[in-house]
Amino acid sequence: MSFAKKIFSALGPFVLAVVILVIILFSPTKIGNTVSSDTLEKAATSMSINVIKGNIIKNEAMQSEKYVPFFGSSELSRIDSFHPSVLAQKYHRNYRPFLLGAAGTQSLSQFSMLSSMGSELKGKKAVFVISPQWFVKKGIKKEMFSLYFSPLQTYQWLLNLKQVDKNASYYAERLLTFSSVNQDTSLKTMMEQVKNGEELTESQKDECALKLNIFSREDDLFGRLGLISKQNEIRKSMKALPTTYNFDKLDMLAYAQGKKLANNNPYELNNSFYSKRIEPIENSLKNSQADYDYRYSKEFADFQLVLDEFAKLKMDVLFVIPPVNGKWSDYTGLSQEMLDQFATKIKTQLNDQGFNNVADLHQYKDSKYFMNDTIHLGWRGWLTLDKQINPFLSQKAKTTPQYTIKSYYLSKEWQMKNPETLTSNSDN
């Protein structure tokens, strides 16, 4: 065999594979078939990063009448017999939660997902869990933002941008504070233009369309990989539930499960969580949260982006404010007065703009077995929330919600507003 043939024999398959991959990435047409119902079912509870950063699976799910988006973060991953996914499946409800979030996802990530779904969500319902812990002074951590940053959704947002308004300028300004955006020089340039109120040129829109196509083909190829479904956990958790829904009986069961599974510590934390995460460093955590303050944060403005998008899509949304475990906050020194004021501030932002479906659970901080751990809903917490989720999602809305979006809630003045000075919902 000649030397040239040896080289071709060795490198030919690799070169051919690269050529095929390049052709696929630059192809203007979608690859493969639609997402199967089996894949959608797995993805609905997987909370996979592919689903969060991609479009193909979540957007296909939102096209159906079956799935309802549940936006949140780590709390959605705590599966027990009373988790919304378990109750919906066990009692054959006319909806299935599609969990959109993971540990570290906050308002900016949720806005990116929302805007990427657009028409698929128009006029639909959703559940949005607001974690007080998001509202630290600087908002989302850079590492967490980078983990969930989606170039696909960002170029899509730029290409679909019809008007550079205050929300768009604010979003661009926020994205420019993260290295994962700035390292893409053309994306950085476009974001700086939007930040300054300038529209993209036609050549920049062409560039966005090209990159959106490439990232979409990547999503076609790899979006289905790595789905780790929680369906087995859900089916296992369903077995403990009675055949017929009865709140009082279920509450007794939730109490019993909590009592059994949270009995090795004085805080009523899940035993496994306490043993692995708390017990080894317990002494160092005493009074460790005395200085925490969720009342002043960039997150309030980031959250406003989400509200603006919900309003544009005319969505009917149930917002959830979970409590912090009272026994744990007493130990760590986390101020309940501060948490009360946080709840007042975020409800003001919601109610003042017409978002009136709010499940404020923060007063349940001392209810036994309400929480799974320090900050995540558990047995009786999920069941209590179900009293609002089920009727909200099972019944069709009688009217289209009316929202009045106010750009004031993007301002630094609102971010730093002392909740004690709020005298009414119109105090702005």
Side-chain angles (χ1 to χ4, degrees), residues 184-240:
D184 182 336
T185 53
S186 61
L187 181 61
K188 179 183 178 183
T189 299
M190 287 186 260
M191 285 297 174
E192 285 176 339
Q193 289 176 220
V194 175
K195 172 190 170 185
N196 295 326
E198 303 169 15
E199 295 185 357
L200 302 187
T201 65
E202 290 304 313
S203 63
Q204 286 176 319
K205 291 179 181 176
D206 290 341
E207 182 181 351
C208 287
L210 176 64
K211 291 191 174 179
L212 176 59
N213 185 68
I214 293 173
F215 288 125
S216 295
R217 297 293 80 76
E218 283 185 359
D219 191 28
D220 288 348
L221 284 172
F222 307 116
R224 297 169 177 82
L225 302 179
L227 297 180
I228 302 175
S229 172
K230 293 183 174 64
Q231 271 302 313
N232 286 339
E233 287 180 69
I234 289 171
R235 293 189 186 99
K236 183 178 177 182
S237 298
M238 283 169 54
K239 292 180 180 176

Side-chain angles (χ1 to χ4, degrees), residues 14 32 41 44 63 80 111 121 208 243 246 270 274 293 301 341 378:
F14 173 74
E41 184 178 284
Q63 288 175 14
D80 61 36
F111 171 75
L121 289 179
C208 287
T243 303
N246 179 296
N270 179 288
Y274 173 75
D293 198 334
Q341 291 181 12

Side-chain angles (χ1 to χ4, degrees), residues 41-99:
E41 184 178 284
K42 289 179 181 176
T45 56
S46 76
M47 303 174 74
S48 163
I49 197 167
N50 286 2
V51 177
I52 293 171
K53 296 172 67 169
N55 280 351
I56 186 171
I57 293 177
K58 66 177 177 46
N59 291 18
E60 183 102 6
M62 293 306 115
Q63 288 175 14
S64 75
E65 295 298 321
K66 179 178 180 180
Y67 293 103
V68 175
F70 275 54
F71 297 96
S73 49
S74 55
E75 67 281 330
L76 298 175
S77 65
R78 302 305 202 267
I79 302 290
D80 61 36
S81 295
F82 307 93
H83 186 280
S85 297
V86 178
L87 293 177
Q89 191 163 328
K90 175 69 180 183
Y91 295 110
H92 311 291
R93 292 176 178 168
N94 61 354
Y95 65 85
R96 291 289 184 277
F98 196 100
L99 309 181

Side-chain angles (χ1 to χ4, degrees), residues 71-73 100-102 105-115 117 128 134 306:
F71 297 96
S73 49
L100 288 171
T105 52
Q106 296 182 198
S107 299
L108 288 178
S109 304
Q110 304 293 12
F111 171 75
S112 182
M113 279 193 284
L114 258 176
S115 64
M117 288 184 274
F128 193 103
W134 296 355
V306 174

Side-chain angles (χ1 to χ4, degrees), residues 30-37 39-40 56-57 60 63 224:
K30 188 176 179 179
I31 303 164
N33 300 320
T34 56
V35 183
S36 69
S37 58
T39 298
L40 291 181
I56 186 171
I57 293 177
E60 183 102 6
Q63 288 175 14
R224 297 169 177 82

Side-chain angles (χ1 to χ4, degrees), residues 123 125 314-316 357 396-403:
K125 292 187 176 183
K314 300 185 184 304
M315 294 182 66
D316 200 4
N357 293 318
K396 288 190 175 181
K398 295 179 180 177
T399 58
T400 302
Q402 301 295 317
Y403 303 118

